[in-house]
Amino acid sequence: MCGIIGFIGEDNASDILIKGLKALEYRGYDSSGVALGDDGKPKIIKSAGRISVLEEKLASASLPVFHRGIAHTRWATHGGVSDLNSHPHSSDSLSLVHNGIIENYYELESMLRSEGYTFSSETDTEAALMLIDYEYRRLHDPEKAIFKAISGIRGSFAFAIIFNDVKEKIYAVRRQSPLIAAHTNKGSFIASDVTALLPYTKDIYRPEDDVLIILSKDKTEFKNKNGDAVYPISEHVDWNEEEAQKGGFPHFMLKEISEIPDSVRKTVSSYLADGIPYFDAASLKEDNVLNIGRIHVSACGTAMHAGLIGKRLIEELAHIPVNIETASEFRCRSQILDKRDLMIVLSQSGETADTLSSLAYAKERGVNTLAIVNVFGSSIARSADDVIYTKAGPEIAVASTKAYTVQCAVLALIALHLARIKKRMTADEVRTHTILLSSSLPSAIEKVISESDGIKDAANDICNAEHLFFIGRGSDSDVCAEGSLKLKEISYIHSEAYPAGELKHGTISLISDGIPVIACACNEDTCDKMISSIREVRSRGARVTVLTTNKLAKSHAFPCDRIITVDDEGGPYTFLTAASAMQLLAYHASAKKGLDVDKPRNLAKSVTVE
Ligand code: F6R
């Protein structure tokens, strides 16, 4: 969702901004723009559509080399996708880019209209722009004007601002929207996330809400609303630029699926001591664990699907009841929360507004919070009482793959940890499981990836379907939810995931001749029942692809049209091997249809609005 990059320094700002925008593309956008200039009113070039369109416009504008600029990728919220609504926006005294939502824009606009302001776009951003302009005219001081303006703004924002009559500076400020800053010998940078800065530095600052960032060629300063200098701690990011590039793969998604085995190994081994899960998080210390009444899990989309797996494992292994709720709904009803409860939130980006707000809801009620997050120092990581990082490295494709698998792996480790403390499993039993997670499961996933021809053929079969069903039982059913989401979001095939036994209670009426059904049957205990469910849909004309293990394929006669087998080395975690097969299925279906696999329509990687 909206990306910001700003630079002031020695080099050609235009090159740095365009490279930065491309690195931020994955966040999702529908238009882009730049404001470039070292003095006076900057030149603004912006356009609906891909960054390549902006590049063409820039090339034909033949601008001189500038050393200062701000740039933006917009993901439309207020106002349609158009050149006019694209950022930067400008007034007579400043130009600005914005990520977030100005909730009181209507109120602000009315006030500003009464002061003679007019508005040319449909965006909420223009209200903030004109408010800063208004305060600047009154106060004649950019810093005071920004602080005064943001004190009147409700909502979330990250702004980067150039004042026409303030040479050699860029101002920036954030509240609840991500924005990082960095200073190198080339100059000063701001960006929405670290991927845009990796070519220049791995040392970054994450200013708190409402801290003003003042960028100049030779320094980056931070000030609070009293004008006092503040000093955010510099963070070193251990991601590298290559990780954020395709590295010979046709798409980031395929590259990221191929990284799953190593991501799982790295994540699991980071939290093991002598083969036993070990966490620094205070909420997972023995005394606190014994005191936990109930666990709440909240997340969105794919992370929510990982949460389903977590619920199953924690309840099964540790016998602690788990309430799971999609984050956008969590605060829509009155939750029964107790101070003895533990709230776990899951997020790849660590910036998802819905997840942040469910986290805040739990914190406000005195519940201990634990975040499982992939992006170091992100808002969710900083807001929660405790954080456990997944070690998936940067995930660029909008469709989440490796982050899901490592989230499930961490939840499995937490379940084992809780089970051992609650004496439901011995240390040796736990070790058997961690060997599966750290070694056997990643090897099984490696085989799925290297022997994926069968999955490709199945993808060719389904890629022209309009509707499709995923069915499974137990953990296979949770994985189906994720397989279905993956297929929907990148191949645009409507699909539904159903617990196989539930289908006959209504939805089976949608099964007709030729409808593809993917039946996931990786669990021996439920295999016979799955075969009955497959018979039910086949007898109504469904074309069934069974996804099962090599072993079950030998011991059971699956009535089906196609069978995909995976290795069961991962033991009780084999559902995660099946999940990778489903991710590949969705990938190949989308690639076969020639769609934009990494940047599916309407979607954003980091969903920073509620
Ligand atoms: C689907 C997908 C989304 C995200 C969701 C939460 O492939 O990527 O459903 O999982 O928007 O995002 P994070 O994990 O960043 O909180």
mmCIF file of all heavy atoms in Angstrom, residues 77-122:
data_model
loop_
_atom_site.group_PDB
_atom_site.id
_atom_site.type_symbol
_atom_site.label_atom_id
_atom_site.label_comp_id
_atom_site.label_asym_id
_atom_site.label_seq_id
_atom_site.Cartn_x
_atom_site.Cartn_y
_atom_site.Cartn_z
ATOM 1 N N THR A 77 -7.395 4.982 -2.238
ATOM 2 C CA THR A 77 -8.431 4.791 -1.218
ATOM 3 C C THR A 77 -9.496 5.866 -1.440
ATOM 4 O O THR A 77 -10.606 5.558 -1.806
ATOM 5 C CB THR A 77 -7.866 4.875 0.223
ATOM 6 O OG1 THR A 77 -7.146 6.087 0.359
ATOM 7 C CG2 THR A 77 -7.000 3.692 0.560
ATOM 8 N N HIS A 78 -9.118 7.146 -1.264
ATOM 9 C CA HIS A 78 -10.069 8.235 -1.475
ATOM 10 C C HIS A 78 -9.844 8.797 -2.881
ATOM 11 O O HIS A 78 -8.831 9.436 -3.137
ATOM 12 C CB HIS A 78 -9.851 9.350 -0.459
ATOM 13 C CG HIS A 78 -10.197 8.954 0.934
ATOM 14 N ND1 HIS A 78 -9.629 7.887 1.561
ATOM 15 C CD2 HIS A 78 -11.085 9.482 1.805
ATOM 16 C CE1 HIS A 78 -10.134 7.771 2.782
ATOM 17 N NE2 HIS A 78 -11.022 8.724 2.950
ATOM 18 N N GLY A 79 -10.809 8.558 -3.764
ATOM 19 C CA GLY A 79 -10.666 9.055 -5.134
ATOM 20 C C GLY A 79 -10.096 7.982 -6.038
ATOM 21 O O GLY A 79 -9.259 7.177 -5.605
ATOM 22 N N GLY A 80 -10.599 7.974 -7.277
ATOM 23 C CA GLY A 80 -10.219 6.916 -8.218
ATOM 24 C C GLY A 80 -8.765 7.003 -8.654
ATOM 25 O O GLY A 80 -8.023 7.902 -8.237
ATOM 26 N N VAL A 81 -8.413 6.050 -9.515
ATOM 27 C CA VAL A 81 -7.040 5.995 -10.033
ATOM 28 C C VAL A 81 -6.944 6.987 -11.195
ATOM 29 O O VAL A 81 -7.578 6.792 -12.234
ATOM 30 C CB VAL A 81 -6.736 4.563 -10.536
ATOM 31 C CG1 VAL A 81 -5.327 4.498 -11.109
ATOM 32 C CG2 VAL A 81 -6.937 3.547 -9.420
ATOM 33 N N SER A 82 -6.218 8.059 -11.006
ATOM 34 C CA SER A 82 -6.097 9.059 -12.078
ATOM 35 C C SER A 82 -4.807 9.844 -11.883
ATOM 36 O O SER A 82 -4.246 9.853 -10.785
ATOM 37 C CB SER A 82 -7.277 10.041 -12.039
ATOM 38 O OG SER A 82 -7.193 10.819 -10.867
ATOM 39 N N ASP A 83 -4.379 10.507 -12.942
ATOM 40 C CA ASP A 83 -3.177 11.344 -12.831
ATOM 41 C C ASP A 83 -3.387 12.397 -11.737
ATOM 42 O O ASP A 83 -2.503 12.662 -10.925
ATOM 43 C CB ASP A 83 -2.897 12.081 -14.150
ATOM 44 C CG ASP A 83 -2.395 11.128 -15.229
ATOM 45 O OD1 ASP A 83 -2.342 9.909 -14.966
ATOM 46 O OD2 ASP A 83 -2.068 11.611 -16.330
ATOM 47 N N LEU A 84 -4.601 12.957 -11.744
ATOM 48 C CA LEU A 84 -4.890 14.057 -10.815
ATOM 49 C C LEU A 84 -4.801 13.619 -9.357
ATOM 50 O O LEU A 84 -4.292 14.342 -8.488
ATOM 51 C CB LEU A 84 -6.300 14.597 -11.125
ATOM 52 C CG LEU A 84 -6.644 15.925 -10.490
ATOM 53 C CD1 LEU A 84 -5.764 17.020 -11.072
ATOM 54 C CD2 LEU A 84 -8.113 16.243 -10.722
ATOM 55 N N ASN A 85 -5.294 12.437 -9.084
ATOM 56 C CA ASN A 85 -5.281 11.968 -7.690
ATOM 57 C C ASN A 85 -3.918 11.421 -7.262
ATOM 58 O O ASN A 85 -3.688 11.175 -6.077
ATOM 59 C CB ASN A 85 -6.349 10.889 -7.482
ATOM 60 C CG ASN A 85 -7.758 11.460 -7.524
ATOM 61 O OD1 ASN A 85 -7.937 12.652 -7.241
ATOM 62 N ND2 ASN A 85 -8.739 10.647 -7.878
ATOM 63 N N SER A 86 -3.036 11.183 -8.240
ATOM 64 C CA SER A 86 -1.714 10.662 -7.894
ATOM 65 C C SER A 86 -0.946 11.696 -7.071
ATOM 66 O O SER A 86 -1.219 12.891 -7.158
ATOM 67 C CB SER A 86 -0.890 10.391 -9.158
ATOM 68 O OG SER A 86 -1.641 9.674 -10.085
ATOM 69 N N HIS A 87 0.025 11.218 -6.319
ATOM 70 C CA HIS A 87 0.893 12.119 -5.539
ATOM 71 C C HIS A 87 2.182 12.316 -6.338
ATOM 72 O O HIS A 87 2.520 11.452 -7.125
ATOM 73 C CB HIS A 87 1.249 11.507 -4.188
ATOM 74 C CG HIS A 87 0.053 11.188 -3.346
ATOM 75 N ND1 HIS A 87 0.096 11.184 -1.971
ATOM 76 C CD2 HIS A 87 -1.218 10.827 -3.662
ATOM 77 C CE1 HIS A 87 -1.085 10.845 -1.487
ATOM 78 N NE2 HIS A 87 -1.902 10.612 -2.500
ATOM 79 N N PRO A 88 2.962 13.344 -6.068
ATOM 80 C CA PRO A 88 2.807 14.414 -5.093
ATOM 81 C C PRO A 88 1.652 15.371 -5.429
ATOM 82 O O PRO A 88 1.285 15.545 -6.590
ATOM 83 C CB PRO A 88 4.142 15.161 -5.182
ATOM 84 C CG PRO A 88 5.077 14.233 -5.872
ATOM 85 C CD PRO A 88 4.258 13.381 -6.753
ATOM 86 N N HIS A 89 1.129 15.973 -4.340
ATOM 87 C CA HIS A 89 0.192 17.081 -4.479
ATOM 88 C C HIS A 89 0.938 18.348 -4.080
ATOM 89 O O HIS A 89 1.878 18.289 -3.282
ATOM 90 C CB HIS A 89 -1.018 16.860 -3.571
ATOM 91 C CG HIS A 89 -1.873 15.712 -4.042
ATOM 92 N ND1 HIS A 89 -2.770 15.828 -5.061
ATOM 93 C CD2 HIS A 89 -1.915 14.419 -3.649
ATOM 94 C CE1 HIS A 89 -3.358 14.649 -5.281
ATOM 95 N NE2 HIS A 89 -2.848 13.772 -4.430
ATOM 96 N N SER A 90 0.493 19.469 -4.652
ATOM 97 C CA SER A 90 1.228 20.686 -4.280
ATOM 98 C C SER A 90 0.292 21.867 -4.088
ATOM 99 O O SER A 90 -0.802 21.925 -4.663
ATOM 100 C CB SER A 90 2.279 21.010 -5.332
ATOM 101 O OG SER A 90 1.644 21.273 -6.541
ATOM 102 N N SER A 91 0.743 22.786 -3.247
ATOM 103 C CA SER A 91 0.043 24.059 -3.035
ATOM 104 C C SER A 91 1.004 25.167 -3.495
ATOM 105 O O SER A 91 2.050 24.864 -4.064
ATOM 106 C CB SER A 91 -0.268 24.223 -1.549
ATOM 107 O OG SER A 91 0.946 24.447 -0.856
ATOM 108 N N ASP A 92 0.662 26.406 -3.173
ATOM 109 C CA ASP A 92 1.561 27.493 -3.579
ATOM 110 C C ASP A 92 2.878 27.454 -2.811
ATOM 111 O O ASP A 92 3.865 28.017 -3.246
ATOM 112 C CB ASP A 92 0.892 28.851 -3.352
ATOM 113 C CG ASP A 92 -0.238 29.054 -4.352
ATOM 114 O OD1 ASP A 92 -0.251 28.323 -5.365
ATOM 115 O OD2 ASP A 92 -1.106 29.907 -4.089
ATOM 116 N N SER A 93 2.876 26.796 -1.646
ATOM 117 C CA SER A 93 4.128 26.854 -0.874
ATOM 118 C C SER A 93 4.808 25.510 -0.637
ATOM 119 O O SER A 93 5.936 25.485 -0.155
ATOM 120 C CB SER A 93 3.885 27.543 0.472
ATOM 121 O OG SER A 93 2.798 26.968 1.122
ATOM 122 N N LEU A 94 4.156 24.404 -0.941
ATOM 123 C CA LEU A 94 4.812 23.117 -0.666
ATOM 124 C C LEU A 94 4.293 21.998 -1.556
ATOM 125 O O LEU A 94 3.219 22.110 -2.152
ATOM 126 C CB LEU A 94 4.633 22.730 0.805
ATOM 127 C CG LEU A 94 3.211 22.460 1.275
ATOM 128 C CD1 LEU A 94 3.104 21.067 1.855
ATOM 129 C CD2 LEU A 94 2.816 23.473 2.335
ATOM 130 N N SER A 95 5.071 20.920 -1.596
ATOM 131 C CA SER A 95 4.663 19.690 -2.298
ATOM 132 C C SER A 95 4.761 18.562 -1.292
ATOM 133 O O SER A 95 5.665 18.561 -0.438
ATOM 134 C CB SER A 95 5.591 19.400 -3.466
ATOM 135 O OG SER A 95 5.565 20.479 -4.349
ATOM 136 N N LEU A 96 3.854 17.599 -1.428
ATOM 137 C CA LEU A 96 3.780 16.585 -0.380
ATOM 138 C C LEU A 96 3.345 15.235 -0.946
ATOM 139 O O LEU A 96 2.570 15.167 -1.902
ATOM 140 C CB LEU A 96 2.783 17.100 0.658
ATOM 141 C CG LEU A 96 2.162 16.212 1.713
ATOM 142 C CD1 LEU A 96 1.870 17.041 2.963
ATOM 143 C CD2 LEU A 96 0.862 15.593 1.243
ATOM 144 N N VAL A 97 3.885 14.144 -0.359
ATOM 145 C CA VAL A 97 3.361 12.801 -0.636
ATOM 146 C C VAL A 97 2.876 12.220 0.682
ATOM 147 O O VAL A 97 3.375 12.581 1.750
ATOM 148 C CB VAL A 97 4.423 11.871 -1.287
ATOM 149 C CG1 VAL A 97 4.787 12.346 -2.674
ATOM 150 C CG2 VAL A 97 5.665 11.727 -0.416
ATOM 151 N N HIS A 98 1.916 11.322 0.600
ATOM 152 C CA HIS A 98 1.244 10.835 1.816
ATOM 153 C C HIS A 98 0.921 9.360 1.694
ATOM 154 O O HIS A 98 0.435 8.905 0.678
ATOM 155 C CB HIS A 98 -0.050 11.663 1.997
ATOM 156 C CG HIS A 98 -1.026 11.121 3.002
ATOM 157 N ND1 HIS A 98 -2.387 11.117 2.792
ATOM 158 C CD2 HIS A 98 -0.837 10.555 4.222
ATOM 159 C CE1 HIS A 98 -3.002 10.596 3.835
ATOM 160 N NE2 HIS A 98 -2.083 10.240 4.722
ATOM 161 N N ASN A 99 1.168 8.644 2.765
ATOM 162 C CA ASN A 99 0.685 7.265 2.909
ATOM 163 C C ASN A 99 -0.178 7.232 4.152
ATOM 164 O O ASN A 99 0.253 7.699 5.208
ATOM 165 C CB ASN A 99 1.892 6.316 3.057
ATOM 166 C CG ASN A 99 1.483 4.888 3.383
ATOM 167 O OD1 ASN A 99 0.311 4.525 3.262
ATOM 168 N ND2 ASN A 99 2.446 4.080 3.790
ATOM 169 N N GLY A 100 -1.398 6.686 4.040
ATOM 170 C CA GLY A 100 -2.279 6.618 5.210
ATOM 171 C C GLY A 100 -3.642 7.182 4.867
ATOM 172 O O GLY A 100 -3.967 7.381 3.692
ATOM 173 N N ILE A 101 -4.437 7.444 5.895
ATOM 174 C CA ILE A 101 -5.774 7.998 5.648
ATOM 175 C C ILE A 101 -6.039 9.141 6.625
ATOM 176 O O ILE A 101 -5.860 8.986 7.837
ATOM 177 C CB ILE A 101 -6.850 6.896 5.802
ATOM 178 C CG1 ILE A 101 -6.773 5.951 4.593
ATOM 179 C CG2 ILE A 101 -8.246 7.505 5.924
ATOM 180 C CD1 ILE A 101 -7.852 4.922 4.510
ATOM 181 N N ILE A 102 -6.445 10.288 6.072
ATOM 182 C CA ILE A 102 -6.801 11.436 6.917
ATOM 183 C C ILE A 102 -8.288 11.270 7.232
ATOM 184 O O ILE A 102 -9.152 11.511 6.370
ATOM 185 C CB ILE A 102 -6.566 12.786 6.171
ATOM 186 C CG1 ILE A 102 -5.156 12.838 5.557
ATOM 187 C CG2 ILE A 102 -6.835 13.972 7.091
ATOM 188 C CD1 ILE A 102 -4.010 12.799 6.518
ATOM 189 N N GLU A 103 -8.594 10.853 8.445
ATOM 190 C CA GLU A 103 -9.993 10.513 8.753
ATOM 191 C C GLU A 103 -10.879 11.757 8.807
ATOM 192 O O GLU A 103 -12.050 11.696 8.462
ATOM 193 C CB GLU A 103 -10.066 9.749 10.081
ATOM 194 C CG GLU A 103 -9.560 8.321 9.906
ATOM 195 C CD GLU A 103 -9.347 7.591 11.217
ATOM 196 O OE1 GLU A 103 -9.685 8.133 12.285
ATOM 197 O OE2 GLU A 103 -8.824 6.467 11.160
ATOM 198 N N ASN A 104 -10.329 12.869 9.267
ATOM 199 C CA ASN A 104 -11.156 14.081 9.372
ATOM 200 C C ASN A 104 -10.953 15.025 8.183
ATOM 201 O O ASN A 104 -11.043 16.246 8.314
ATOM 202 C CB ASN A 104 -10.877 14.814 10.688
ATOM 203 C CG ASN A 104 -9.418 15.208 10.845
ATOM 204 O OD1 ASN A 104 -8.557 14.588 10.241
ATOM 205 N ND2 ASN A 104 -9.138 16.227 11.642
ATOM 206 N N TYR A 105 -10.677 14.440 7.000
ATOM 207 C CA TYR A 105 -10.369 15.303 5.848
ATOM 208 C C TYR A 105 -11.542 16.221 5.492
ATOM 209 O O TYR A 105 -11.361 17.361 5.086
ATOM 210 C CB TYR A 105 -9.950 14.449 4.635
ATOM 211 C CG TYR A 105 -11.076 13.787 3.896
ATOM 212 C CD1 TYR A 105 -11.593 14.342 2.735
ATOM 213 C CD2 TYR A 105 -11.651 12.615 4.378
ATOM 214 C CE1 TYR A 105 -12.645 13.749 2.064
ATOM 215 C CE2 TYR A 105 -12.699 12.019 3.721
ATOM 216 C CZ TYR A 105 -13.201 12.585 2.577
ATOM 217 O OH TYR A 105 -14.247 12.008 1.927
ATOM 218 N N TYR A 106 -12.778 15.710 5.692
ATOM 219 C CA TYR A 106 -13.955 16.470 5.291
ATOM 220 C C TYR A 106 -14.060 17.743 6.136
ATOM 221 O O TYR A 106 -14.233 18.853 5.620
ATOM 222 C CB TYR A 106 -15.201 15.598 5.446
ATOM 223 C CG TYR A 106 -16.427 16.209 4.829
ATOM 224 C CD1 TYR A 106 -16.583 16.235 3.446
ATOM 225 C CD2 TYR A 106 -17.415 16.775 5.629
ATOM 226 C CE1 TYR A 106 -17.710 16.831 2.870
ATOM 227 C CE2 TYR A 106 -18.539 17.361 5.071
ATOM 228 C CZ TYR A 106 -18.673 17.388 3.695
ATOM 229 O OH TYR A 106 -19.775 17.976 3.134
ATOM 230 N N GLU A 107 -13.897 17.523 7.442
ATOM 231 C CA GLU A 107 -13.916 18.636 8.402
ATOM 232 C C GLU A 107 -12.827 19.664 8.058
ATOM 233 O O GLU A 107 -13.083 20.877 8.033
ATOM 234 C CB GLU A 107 -13.487 18.030 9.735
ATOM 235 C CG GLU A 107 -14.380 18.188 10.911
ATOM 236 C CD GLU A 107 -13.840 17.225 11.976
ATOM 237 O OE1 GLU A 107 -14.235 16.043 11.913
ATOM 238 O OE2 GLU A 107 -13.022 17.642 12.823
ATOM 239 N N LEU A 108 -11.626 19.145 7.795
ATOM 240 C CA LEU A 108 -10.499 20.038 7.495
ATOM 241 C C LEU A 108 -10.758 20.811 6.211
ATOM 242 O O LEU A 108 -10.517 22.023 6.132
ATOM 243 C CB LEU A 108 -9.195 19.239 7.363
ATOM 244 C CG LEU A 108 -8.699 18.532 8.633
ATOM 245 C CD1 LEU A 108 -7.476 17.676 8.325
ATOM 246 C CD2 LEU A 108 -8.365 19.555 9.707
ATOM 247 N N GLU A 109 -11.288 20.114 5.216
ATOM 248 C CA GLU A 109 -11.561 20.782 3.941
ATOM 249 C C GLU A 109 -12.568 21.914 4.127
ATOM 250 O O GLU A 109 -12.399 22.996 3.576
ATOM 251 C CB GLU A 109 -12.111 19.773 2.926
ATOM 252 C CG GLU A 109 -11.007 19.092 2.148
ATOM 253 C CD GLU A 109 -11.550 18.232 1.007
ATOM 254 O OE1 GLU A 109 -12.717 18.420 0.578
ATOM 255 O OE2 GLU A 109 -10.798 17.363 0.570
ATOM 256 N N SER A 110 -13.605 21.647 4.934
ATOM 257 C CA SER A 110 -14.624 22.698 5.137
ATOM 258 C C SER A 110 -13.997 23.914 5.782
ATOM 259 O O SER A 110 -14.246 25.059 5.369
ATOM 260 C CB SER A 110 -15.752 22.217 6.050
ATOM 261 O OG SER A 110 -16.179 20.978 5.659
ATOM 262 N N MET A 111 -13.155 23.653 6.794
ATOM 263 C CA MET A 111 -12.500 24.777 7.472
ATOM 264 C C MET A 111 -11.630 25.552 6.459
ATOM 265 O O MET A 111 -11.670 26.778 6.384
ATOM 266 C CB MET A 111 -11.651 24.222 8.620
ATOM 267 C CG MET A 111 -10.929 25.236 9.484
ATOM 268 S SD MET A 111 -9.449 25.940 8.741
ATOM 269 C CE MET A 111 -8.232 24.706 9.099
ATOM 270 N N LEU A 112 -10.880 24.783 5.655
ATOM 271 C CA LEU A 112 -9.954 25.428 4.719
ATOM 272 C C LEU A 112 -10.700 26.154 3.598
ATOM 273 O O LEU A 112 -10.277 27.230 3.148
ATOM 274 C CB LEU A 112 -8.991 24.387 4.143
ATOM 275 C CG LEU A 112 -7.973 23.856 5.169
ATOM 276 C CD1 LEU A 112 -7.382 22.516 4.720
ATOM 277 C CD2 LEU A 112 -6.850 24.878 5.385
ATOM 278 N N ARG A 113 -11.834 25.593 3.174
ATOM 279 C CA ARG A 113 -12.638 26.287 2.150
ATOM 280 C C ARG A 113 -13.069 27.655 2.674
ATOM 281 O O ARG A 113 -13.052 28.648 1.961
ATOM 282 C CB ARG A 113 -13.875 25.454 1.797
ATOM 283 C CG ARG A 113 -13.617 24.391 0.757
ATOM 284 C CD ARG A 113 -14.916 23.679 0.365
ATOM 285 N NE ARG A 113 -14.668 22.294 0.027
ATOM 286 C CZ ARG A 113 -14.154 21.871 -1.111
ATOM 287 N NH1 ARG A 113 -13.846 22.740 -2.058
ATOM 288 N NH2 ARG A 113 -13.949 20.595 -1.327
ATOM 289 N N SER A 114 -13.445 27.668 3.978
ATOM 290 C CA SER A 114 -13.880 28.953 4.539
ATOM 291 C C SER A 114 -12.712 29.943 4.596
ATOM 292 O O SER A 114 -12.911 31.146 4.729
ATOM 293 C CB SER A 114 -14.513 28.750 5.915
ATOM 294 O OG SER A 114 -13.502 28.369 6.826
ATOM 295 N N GLU A 115 -11.506 29.426 4.508
ATOM 296 C CA GLU A 115 -10.327 30.308 4.480
ATOM 297 C C GLU A 115 -9.914 30.613 3.038
ATOM 298 O O GLU A 115 -8.834 31.148 2.792
ATOM 299 C CB GLU A 115 -9.141 29.631 5.188
ATOM 300 C CG GLU A 115 -9.340 29.406 6.667
ATOM 301 C CD GLU A 115 -9.332 30.721 7.460
ATOM 302 O OE1 GLU A 115 -8.712 31.695 6.987
ATOM 303 O OE2 GLU A 115 -9.963 30.756 8.531
ATOM 304 N N GLY A 116 -10.722 30.174 2.077
ATOM 305 C CA GLY A 116 -10.459 30.514 0.679
ATOM 306 C C GLY A 116 -9.712 29.444 -0.109
ATOM 307 O O GLY A 116 -9.354 29.657 -1.263
ATOM 308 N N TYR A 117 -9.457 28.289 0.507
ATOM 309 C CA TYR A 117 -8.741 27.242 -0.218
ATOM 310 C C TYR A 117 -9.673 26.524 -1.181
ATOM 311 O O TYR A 117 -10.872 26.370 -0.912
ATOM 312 C CB TYR A 117 -8.157 26.216 0.770
ATOM 313 C CG TYR A 117 -6.854 26.686 1.379
ATOM 314 C CD1 TYR A 117 -6.857 27.479 2.524
ATOM 315 C CD2 TYR A 117 -5.635 26.332 0.810
ATOM 316 C CE1 TYR A 117 -5.670 27.915 3.085
ATOM 317 C CE2 TYR A 117 -4.440 26.772 1.362
ATOM 318 C CZ TYR A 117 -4.460 27.567 2.510
ATOM 319 O OH TYR A 117 -3.278 28.003 3.054
ATOM 320 N N THR A 118 -9.124 26.063 -2.302
ATOM 321 C CA THR A 118 -9.897 25.224 -3.221
ATOM 322 C C THR A 118 -9.125 23.913 -3.399
ATOM 323 O O THR A 118 -7.913 23.860 -3.163
ATOM 324 C CB THR A 118 -10.069 25.896 -4.605
ATOM 325 O OG1 THR A 118 -8.770 26.210 -5.093
ATOM 326 C CG2 THR A 118 -10.928 27.135 -4.511
ATOM 327 N N PHE A 119 -9.856 22.887 -3.827
ATOM 328 C CA PHE A 119 -9.246 21.550 -3.920
ATOM 329 C C PHE A 119 -9.422 21.016 -5.328
ATOM 330 O O PHE A 119 -10.495 21.156 -5.914
ATOM 331 C CB PHE A 119 -9.900 20.599 -2.893
ATOM 332 C CG PHE A 119 -9.645 21.055 -1.481
ATOM 333 C CD1 PHE A 119 -10.471 21.996 -0.877
ATOM 334 C CD2 PHE A 119 -8.553 20.582 -0.789
ATOM 335 C CE1 PHE A 119 -10.214 22.442 0.411
ATOM 336 C CE2 PHE A 119 -8.284 21.025 0.505
ATOM 337 C CZ PHE A 119 -9.113 21.956 1.103
ATOM 338 N N SER A 120 -8.381 20.403 -5.838
ATOM 339 C CA SER A 120 -8.516 19.956 -7.227
ATOM 340 C C SER A 120 -8.605 18.441 -7.355
ATOM 341 O O SER A 120 -9.042 17.934 -8.371
ATOM 342 C CB SER A 120 -7.354 20.486 -8.059
ATOM 343 O OG SER A 120 -6.143 20.153 -7.438
ATOM 344 N N SER A 121 -8.199 17.692 -6.332
ATOM 345 C CA SER A 121 -8.270 16.227 -6.446
ATOM 346 C C SER A 121 -9.401 15.691 -5.567
ATOM 347 O O SER A 121 -10.039 16.454 -4.836
ATOM 348 C CB SER A 121 -6.942 15.608 -6.004
ATOM 349 O OG SER A 121 -6.871 15.594 -4.597
ATOM 350 N N GLU A 122 -9.604 14.373 -5.638
ATOM 351 C CA GLU A 122 -10.637 13.762 -4.774
ATOM 352 C C GLU A 122 -10.007 13.148 -3.528
ATOM 353 O O GLU A 122 -10.634 12.381 -2.825
ATOM 354 C CB GLU A 122 -11.345 12.637 -5.533
ATOM 355 C CG GLU A 122 -11.970 13.025 -6.835
ATOM 356 C CD GLU A 122 -12.175 11.803 -7.723
ATOM 357 O OE1 GLU A 122 -11.169 11.206 -8.162
ATOM 358 O OE2 GLU A 122 -13.326 11.438 -7.948
#
